[in-house]
Amino acid sequence: QVQLVESGGGLVQPGDSLRLSCLASGSIFSTRAMGWYRQAPGQQRSLVASITRGGTTNYADAVKGRFTISRDSAKNTVYLQMNSLKLEDTAVYYCNADPPFFDRARMQPYWGQGTQVTVSS
């Protein structure tokens, strides 16, 4: 079964920190690079951070220096540590493989429910 379960979002003020967690299916986690994506209202979903099986990381310019992606292979879990949060970080955050896992039964990429991050003053 495919499993991508995000958690850790919430309502915070600018400058605060959050850590998001993603529990993934072992078959996905152990064989693919993983990433965090986000989608704000009226915006396209975009990749903000990724990590390869070898531990190489990459970040979108908008979050570089503030966000850190990591993974725990024993727990099949990917984390996103978000520091110095800004209003523009408000979005639904999703984890997935990079590139996203394709669900052949639905003939489209598979996405979990995501977790809402709201940064408001």
Side-chain angles (χ1 to χ4, degrees), residues 6-54:
E6 302 93 341
S7 62
L11 174 63
V12 297
Q13 295 183 335
D16 285 352
S17 297
L18 281 173
R19 189 174 80 153
L20 307 184
S21 298
C22 170
L23 178 64
S25 302
S27 60
I28 298 175
F29 185 92
S30 64
T31 62
R32 304 182 183 221
M34 298 296 296
W36 283 95
Y37 303 74
R38 70 184 182 187
Q39 186 170 32
Q43 304 292 323
Q44 298 183 84
R45 199 194 317 261
S46 62
L47 179 68
V48 299
S50 65
I51 184 168
T52 69
R53 288 174 290 171

Side-chain angles (χ1 to χ4, degrees), residues 8-118:
L11 174 63
V12 297
Q13 295 183 335
D16 285 352
S17 297
L18 281 173
R19 189 174 80 153
L20 307 184
S21 298
C22 170
L23 178 64
S25 302
S27 60
I28 298 175
F29 185 92
S30 64
T31 62
R32 304 182 183 221
M34 298 296 296
W36 283 95
Y37 303 74
R38 70 184 182 187
Q39 186 170 32
Q43 304 292 323
Q44 298 183 84
R45 199 194 317 261
S46 62
L47 179 68
V48 299
S50 65
I51 184 168
T52 69
R53 288 174 290 171
T56 300
T57 58
N58 191 42
Y59 300 92
D61 288 342
V63 307
K64 191 171 298 181
R66 300 187 297 116
F67 290 10
T68 302
I69 188 171
S70 61
R71 66 190 224 169
D72 185 337
S73 297
K75 298 182 179 295
N76 290 335
T77 300
V78 184
Y79 302 96
L80 185 67
Q81 178 67 45
M82 305 184 294
N83 297 328
S84 302
L85 283 162
K86 303 176 179 180
L87 297 178
E88 52 264 43
D89 294 321
T90 296
V92 178
Y93 285 72
Y94 303 87
C95 70
N96 211 325
D98 179 19
F101 178 80
F102 187 78
D103 186 340
R104 300 195 70 181
R106 297 178 177 178
M107 293 295 289
Q108 65 184 55
Y110 176 85
W111 296 99
Q113 292 299 117
T115 185
Q116 176 73 49
V117 172
T118 301

